[in-house]
Amino acid sequence: MTSTIDRLHKLLNLGSKLFSELSLNEVTFKATPKKWSKKEILGHLIDSAINNLQRFTEIQFEPKPYTIKPYNQNGLVIANDYQNSELSELVNIWLALNHRISKLMALQTKATLNYEITLGDGTISDLKFLMDDYVDHMEHHIKQIQTINS
């Protein structure tokens, strides 16, 4: 789990740096009305952190296999109005949630990392997969933020 936590910290540092260097036009630019801006991608990462923090916590005491409940990604981005939110607030929320997640990751044992989960498609996996996948998902979106043209 140490390598996953290290990757998470590197992505948080990179994301913080990126958002501190981008202009308001760069973070709010939308290629099309249906495409997310960089700020909305950050909002999506906040929603992902909220949902996964709940999952990573609940699996500790819920019956196994723990069933992953999907969430409406587009609906949450719209409902939270990330496009019109203060960037510094979003960055701070994202960092705080992920520092909590990294602490929770560090508390896991070999036994807890093997807790079974059922994914939305019925596939059975484990908590370690879910935590690794969370960081992979974040990495995908940080790369997307780096490459989206404004």
Short mmCIF file of all heavy atoms in Angstrom, two decimals, residues 53-90:
data_model
loop_
_atom_site.label_atom_id
_atom_site.label_comp_id
_atom_site.label_asym_id
_atom_site.label_seq_id
_atom_site.Cartn_x
_atom_site.Cartn_y
_atom_site.Cartn_z
N LEU A 53 -13.99 7.73 0.05
CA LEU A 53 -13.73 7.78 1.49
C LEU A 53 -14.83 7.03 2.23
O LEU A 53 -14.56 6.25 3.14
CB LEU A 53 -13.64 9.24 1.97
CG LEU A 53 -13.42 9.42 3.47
CD1 LEU A 53 -12.14 8.73 3.94
CD2 LEU A 53 -13.39 10.90 3.81
N GLN A 54 -16.07 7.24 1.81
CA GLN A 54 -17.18 6.51 2.43
C GLN A 54 -17.02 5.01 2.20
O GLN A 54 -17.19 4.21 3.13
CB GLN A 54 -18.51 7.00 1.87
CG GLN A 54 -19.69 6.30 2.52
CD GLN A 54 -21.02 6.91 2.13
OE1 GLN A 54 -21.09 7.91 1.44
NE2 GLN A 54 -22.09 6.29 2.58
N ARG A 55 -16.70 4.61 0.98
CA ARG A 55 -16.52 3.18 0.68
C ARG A 55 -15.40 2.57 1.50
O ARG A 55 -15.55 1.50 2.09
CB ARG A 55 -16.21 3.00 -0.80
CG ARG A 55 -17.35 3.33 -1.73
CD ARG A 55 -16.87 3.42 -3.16
NE ARG A 55 -17.98 3.67 -4.08
CZ ARG A 55 -17.82 4.01 -5.35
NH1 ARG A 55 -16.62 4.14 -5.86
NH2 ARG A 55 -18.88 4.22 -6.10
N PHE A 56 -14.24 3.25 1.51
CA PHE A 56 -13.06 2.73 2.21
C PHE A 56 -13.34 2.61 3.71
O PHE A 56 -12.78 1.73 4.38
CB PHE A 56 -11.84 3.64 2.01
CG PHE A 56 -11.39 3.80 0.58
CD1 PHE A 56 -10.59 4.87 0.22
CD2 PHE A 56 -11.74 2.90 -0.42
CE1 PHE A 56 -10.15 5.04 -1.08
CE2 PHE A 56 -11.31 3.06 -1.73
CZ PHE A 56 -10.51 4.14 -2.06
N THR A 57 -14.18 3.48 4.23
CA THR A 57 -14.52 3.45 5.65
C THR A 57 -15.57 2.38 5.94
O THR A 57 -15.41 1.56 6.84
CB THR A 57 -15.02 4.84 6.11
OG1 THR A 57 -14.03 5.81 5.79
CG2 THR A 57 -15.29 4.85 7.60
N GLU A 58 -16.66 2.40 5.17
CA GLU A 58 -17.76 1.46 5.43
C GLU A 58 -17.34 0.00 5.30
O GLU A 58 -17.85 -0.84 6.04
CB GLU A 58 -18.92 1.72 4.46
CG GLU A 58 -19.74 2.92 4.81
CD GLU A 58 -20.91 3.12 3.87
OE1 GLU A 58 -20.96 2.50 2.78
OE2 GLU A 58 -21.78 3.91 4.23
N ILE A 59 -16.43 -0.29 4.39
CA ILE A 59 -16.03 -1.69 4.19
C ILE A 59 -15.43 -2.27 5.47
O ILE A 59 -15.43 -3.48 5.66
CB ILE A 59 -15.07 -1.84 3.00
CG1 ILE A 59 -14.99 -3.31 2.60
CG2 ILE A 59 -13.71 -1.26 3.31
CD1 ILE A 59 -14.25 -3.55 1.30
N GLN A 60 -14.97 -1.41 6.37
CA GLN A 60 -14.36 -1.89 7.62
C GLN A 60 -15.38 -2.58 8.52
O GLN A 60 -15.01 -3.45 9.31
CB GLN A 60 -13.72 -0.71 8.38
CG GLN A 60 -12.75 0.11 7.58
CD GLN A 60 -11.54 -0.64 7.07
OE1 GLN A 60 -10.95 -1.46 7.78
NE2 GLN A 60 -11.16 -0.37 5.83
N PHE A 61 -16.66 -2.20 8.40
CA PHE A 61 -17.66 -2.75 9.34
C PHE A 61 -18.92 -3.30 8.67
O PHE A 61 -19.76 -3.86 9.36
CB PHE A 61 -18.04 -1.69 10.39
CG PHE A 61 -18.53 -0.40 9.82
CD1 PHE A 61 -19.85 -0.23 9.42
CD2 PHE A 61 -17.66 0.67 9.68
CE1 PHE A 61 -20.29 0.97 8.90
CE2 PHE A 61 -18.09 1.88 9.16
CZ PHE A 61 -19.42 2.03 8.77
N GLU A 62 -19.06 -3.16 7.37
CA GLU A 62 -20.24 -3.68 6.67
C GLU A 62 -20.04 -5.17 6.33
O GLU A 62 -18.90 -5.63 6.22
CB GLU A 62 -20.48 -2.90 5.38
CG GLU A 62 -20.93 -1.47 5.60
CD GLU A 62 -22.36 -1.35 6.10
OE1 GLU A 62 -23.22 -2.17 5.71
OE2 GLU A 62 -22.60 -0.43 6.90
N PRO A 63 -21.14 -5.91 6.13
CA PRO A 63 -21.02 -7.32 5.72
C PRO A 63 -20.25 -7.43 4.40
O PRO A 63 -20.33 -6.55 3.55
CB PRO A 63 -22.47 -7.77 5.54
CG PRO A 63 -23.30 -6.77 6.29
CD PRO A 63 -22.53 -5.47 6.27
N LYS A 64 -19.51 -8.52 4.26
CA LYS A 64 -18.73 -8.76 3.04
C LYS A 64 -19.44 -9.80 2.18
O LYS A 64 -20.08 -10.68 2.73
CB LYS A 64 -17.31 -9.25 3.36
CG LYS A 64 -16.54 -8.51 4.45
CD LYS A 64 -16.40 -7.03 4.22
CE LYS A 64 -15.64 -6.35 5.33
NZ LYS A 64 -16.39 -6.01 6.52
N PRO A 65 -19.38 -9.75 0.88
CA PRO A 65 -18.67 -8.71 0.15
C PRO A 65 -19.41 -7.38 0.22
O PRO A 65 -20.65 -7.34 0.22
CB PRO A 65 -18.62 -9.23 -1.28
CG PRO A 65 -19.77 -10.15 -1.41
CD PRO A 65 -19.98 -10.73 -0.04
N TYR A 66 -18.64 -6.31 0.28
CA TYR A 66 -19.18 -4.96 0.30
C TYR A 66 -19.57 -4.60 -1.13
O TYR A 66 -18.78 -4.78 -2.06
CB TYR A 66 -18.11 -3.99 0.82
CG TYR A 66 -18.54 -2.55 0.84
CD1 TYR A 66 -19.33 -2.05 1.86
CD2 TYR A 66 -18.13 -1.67 -0.17
CE1 TYR A 66 -19.72 -0.72 1.88
CE2 TYR A 66 -18.51 -0.34 -0.15
CZ TYR A 66 -19.30 0.13 0.87
OH TYR A 66 -19.69 1.45 0.88
N THR A 67 -20.78 -4.10 -1.32
CA THR A 67 -21.27 -3.77 -2.66
C THR A 67 -21.01 -2.29 -2.94
O THR A 67 -21.41 -1.42 -2.17
CB THR A 67 -22.77 -4.07 -2.79
OG1 THR A 67 -22.96 -5.47 -2.51
CG2 THR A 67 -23.28 -3.75 -4.18
N ILE A 68 -20.33 -2.05 -4.05
CA ILE A 68 -20.03 -0.68 -4.48
C ILE A 68 -21.27 -0.07 -5.11
O ILE A 68 -21.81 -0.59 -6.08
CB ILE A 68 -18.87 -0.66 -5.51
CG1 ILE A 68 -17.59 -1.25 -4.90
CG2 ILE A 68 -18.63 0.75 -6.04
CD1 ILE A 68 -17.07 -0.52 -3.70
N LYS A 69 -21.73 1.02 -4.52
CA LYS A 69 -22.89 1.73 -5.03
C LYS A 69 -22.38 2.80 -6.01
O LYS A 69 -21.57 3.64 -5.64
CB LYS A 69 -23.64 2.39 -3.87
CG LYS A 69 -24.85 3.17 -4.27
CD LYS A 69 -25.48 3.82 -3.05
CE LYS A 69 -26.27 5.02 -3.53
NZ LYS A 69 -26.32 6.10 -2.59
N PRO A 70 -22.85 2.76 -7.26
CA PRO A 70 -22.42 3.79 -8.21
C PRO A 70 -23.02 5.15 -7.86
O PRO A 70 -23.97 5.24 -7.08
CB PRO A 70 -22.94 3.29 -9.56
CG PRO A 70 -24.03 2.33 -9.23
CD PRO A 70 -23.77 1.81 -7.84
N TYR A 71 -22.44 6.21 -8.44
CA TYR A 71 -22.98 7.55 -8.24
C TYR A 71 -23.04 8.27 -9.58
O TYR A 71 -22.32 7.93 -10.51
CB TYR A 71 -22.18 8.34 -7.20
CG TYR A 71 -20.70 8.54 -7.52
CD1 TYR A 71 -20.25 9.72 -8.11
CD2 TYR A 71 -19.76 7.57 -7.21
CE1 TYR A 71 -18.91 9.91 -8.39
CE2 TYR A 71 -18.42 7.75 -7.48
CZ TYR A 71 -17.99 8.92 -8.07
OH TYR A 71 -16.66 9.10 -8.37
N ASN A 72 -23.91 9.26 -9.67
CA ASN A 72 -24.15 10.00 -10.91
C ASN A 72 -23.10 11.09 -11.04
O ASN A 72 -23.24 12.19 -10.49
CB ASN A 72 -25.57 10.59 -10.89
CG ASN A 72 -25.93 11.28 -12.19
OD1 ASN A 72 -25.08 11.84 -12.87
ND2 ASN A 72 -27.19 11.27 -12.51
N GLN A 73 -22.04 10.80 -11.79
CA GLN A 73 -20.91 11.71 -11.91
C GLN A 73 -21.30 13.06 -12.51
O GLN A 73 -20.97 14.11 -11.96
CB GLN A 73 -19.81 11.06 -12.73
CG GLN A 73 -19.27 9.80 -12.09
CD GLN A 73 -18.28 9.07 -12.97
OE1 GLN A 73 -17.76 9.62 -13.93
NE2 GLN A 73 -18.00 7.83 -12.62
N ASN A 74 -21.99 13.03 -13.63
CA ASN A 74 -22.39 14.28 -14.28
C ASN A 74 -23.37 15.07 -13.43
O ASN A 74 -23.27 16.29 -13.31
CB ASN A 74 -22.99 14.02 -15.67
CG ASN A 74 -21.96 13.59 -16.67
OD1 ASN A 74 -20.85 14.11 -16.69
ND2 ASN A 74 -22.31 12.65 -17.52
N GLY A 75 -24.32 14.37 -12.83
CA GLY A 75 -25.29 15.03 -11.97
C GLY A 75 -24.65 15.74 -10.79
O GLY A 75 -25.04 16.86 -10.44
N LEU A 76 -23.65 15.10 -10.19
CA LEU A 76 -22.97 15.72 -9.05
C LEU A 76 -22.18 16.96 -9.46
O LEU A 76 -22.16 17.96 -8.74
CB LEU A 76 -22.05 14.71 -8.36
CG LEU A 76 -22.74 13.66 -7.52
CD1 LEU A 76 -21.74 12.62 -7.02
CD2 LEU A 76 -23.48 14.28 -6.36
N VAL A 77 -21.53 16.90 -10.62
CA VAL A 77 -20.77 18.06 -11.10
C VAL A 77 -21.71 19.24 -11.32
O VAL A 77 -21.40 20.38 -10.95
CB VAL A 77 -19.97 17.71 -12.38
CG1 VAL A 77 -19.42 18.96 -13.06
CG2 VAL A 77 -18.82 16.76 -12.04
N ILE A 78 -22.87 18.96 -11.90
CA ILE A 78 -23.86 20.03 -12.14
C ILE A 78 -24.46 20.52 -10.82
O ILE A 78 -24.53 21.72 -10.55
CB ILE A 78 -24.96 19.54 -13.10
CG1 ILE A 78 -24.35 19.31 -14.49
CG2 ILE A 78 -26.11 20.54 -13.16
CD1 ILE A 78 -25.24 18.51 -15.43
N ALA A 79 -24.89 19.59 -9.96
CA ALA A 79 -25.55 19.96 -8.71
C ALA A 79 -24.63 20.78 -7.79
O ALA A 79 -25.10 21.69 -7.09
CB ALA A 79 -26.03 18.71 -7.98
N ASN A 80 -23.35 20.48 -7.81
CA ASN A 80 -22.40 21.20 -6.97
C ASN A 80 -21.88 22.49 -7.62
O ASN A 80 -21.13 23.23 -6.99
CB ASN A 80 -21.23 20.30 -6.59
CG ASN A 80 -21.59 19.33 -5.50
OD1 ASN A 80 -21.83 19.74 -4.38
ND2 ASN A 80 -21.68 18.05 -5.83
N ASP A 81 -22.25 22.72 -8.87
CA ASP A 81 -21.90 23.95 -9.59
C ASP A 81 -20.40 24.27 -9.48
O ASP A 81 -20.00 25.39 -9.18
CB ASP A 81 -22.73 25.13 -9.08
CG ASP A 81 -22.65 26.34 -10.00
OD1 ASP A 81 -22.36 26.18 -11.21
OD2 ASP A 81 -22.85 27.46 -9.49
N TYR A 82 -19.60 23.25 -9.72
CA TYR A 82 -18.15 23.43 -9.62
C TYR A 82 -17.63 24.50 -10.58
O TYR A 82 -16.67 25.20 -10.26
CB TYR A 82 -17.43 22.10 -9.87
CG TYR A 82 -17.66 21.09 -8.77
CD1 TYR A 82 -18.19 19.84 -9.05
CD2 TYR A 82 -17.34 21.38 -7.44
CE1 TYR A 82 -18.40 18.91 -8.04
CE2 TYR A 82 -17.55 20.46 -6.43
CZ TYR A 82 -18.08 19.23 -6.74
OH TYR A 82 -18.28 18.31 -5.74
N GLN A 83 -18.26 24.64 -11.73
CA GLN A 83 -17.81 25.62 -12.72
C GLN A 83 -17.80 27.03 -12.14
O GLN A 83 -16.94 27.84 -12.48
CB GLN A 83 -18.69 25.54 -13.97
CG GLN A 83 -18.29 26.48 -15.08
CD GLN A 83 -16.99 26.11 -15.77
OE1 GLN A 83 -16.28 25.20 -15.38
NE2 GLN A 83 -16.67 26.83 -16.83
N ASN A 84 -18.73 27.33 -11.26
CA ASN A 84 -18.85 28.69 -10.70
C ASN A 84 -18.37 28.77 -9.26
O ASN A 84 -18.65 29.76 -8.57
CB ASN A 84 -20.30 29.16 -10.82
CG ASN A 84 -20.71 29.27 -12.27
OD1 ASN A 84 -20.07 29.96 -13.06
ND2 ASN A 84 -21.76 28.55 -12.64
N SER A 85 -17.65 27.77 -8.81
CA SER A 85 -17.15 27.75 -7.43
C SER A 85 -15.76 28.37 -7.36
O SER A 85 -15.05 28.45 -8.36
CB SER A 85 -17.09 26.31 -6.92
OG SER A 85 -18.38 25.75 -6.91
N GLU A 86 -15.40 28.79 -6.17
CA GLU A 86 -14.08 29.38 -5.94
C GLU A 86 -13.01 28.28 -6.06
O GLU A 86 -13.08 27.26 -5.36
CB GLU A 86 -14.05 30.01 -4.55
CG GLU A 86 -12.79 30.75 -4.22
CD GLU A 86 -12.57 31.98 -5.09
OE1 GLU A 86 -13.56 32.69 -5.37
OE2 GLU A 86 -11.41 32.21 -5.48
N LEU A 87 -12.03 28.50 -6.93
CA LEU A 87 -11.00 27.49 -7.18
C LEU A 87 -10.23 27.12 -5.91
O LEU A 87 -10.01 25.94 -5.64
CB LEU A 87 -10.04 27.95 -8.27
CG LEU A 87 -8.92 26.96 -8.62
CD1 LEU A 87 -9.49 25.63 -9.14
CD2 LEU A 87 -7.98 27.57 -9.65
N SER A 88 -9.84 28.12 -5.12
CA SER A 88 -9.06 27.81 -3.92
C SER A 88 -9.85 26.93 -2.95
O SER A 88 -9.28 26.04 -2.32
CB SER A 88 -8.60 29.10 -3.23
OG SER A 88 -9.72 29.85 -2.80
N GLU A 89 -11.15 27.15 -2.86
CA GLU A 89 -11.99 26.31 -2.01
C GLU A 89 -11.99 24.87 -2.51
O GLU A 89 -11.84 23.92 -1.73
CB GLU A 89 -13.42 26.84 -1.99
CG GLU A 89 -14.37 25.96 -1.20
CD GLU A 89 -15.84 26.30 -1.40
OE1 GLU A 89 -16.18 27.00 -2.38
OE2 GLU A 89 -16.64 25.84 -0.58
N LEU A 90 -12.13 24.70 -3.82
CA LEU A 90 -12.15 23.35 -4.40
C LEU A 90 -10.83 22.63 -4.17
O LEU A 90 -10.81 21.46 -3.81
CB LEU A 90 -12.48 23.42 -5.89
CG LEU A 90 -13.84 23.99 -6.26
CD1 LEU A 90 -14.03 23.99 -7.78
CD2 LEU A 90 -14.97 23.26 -5.56
#
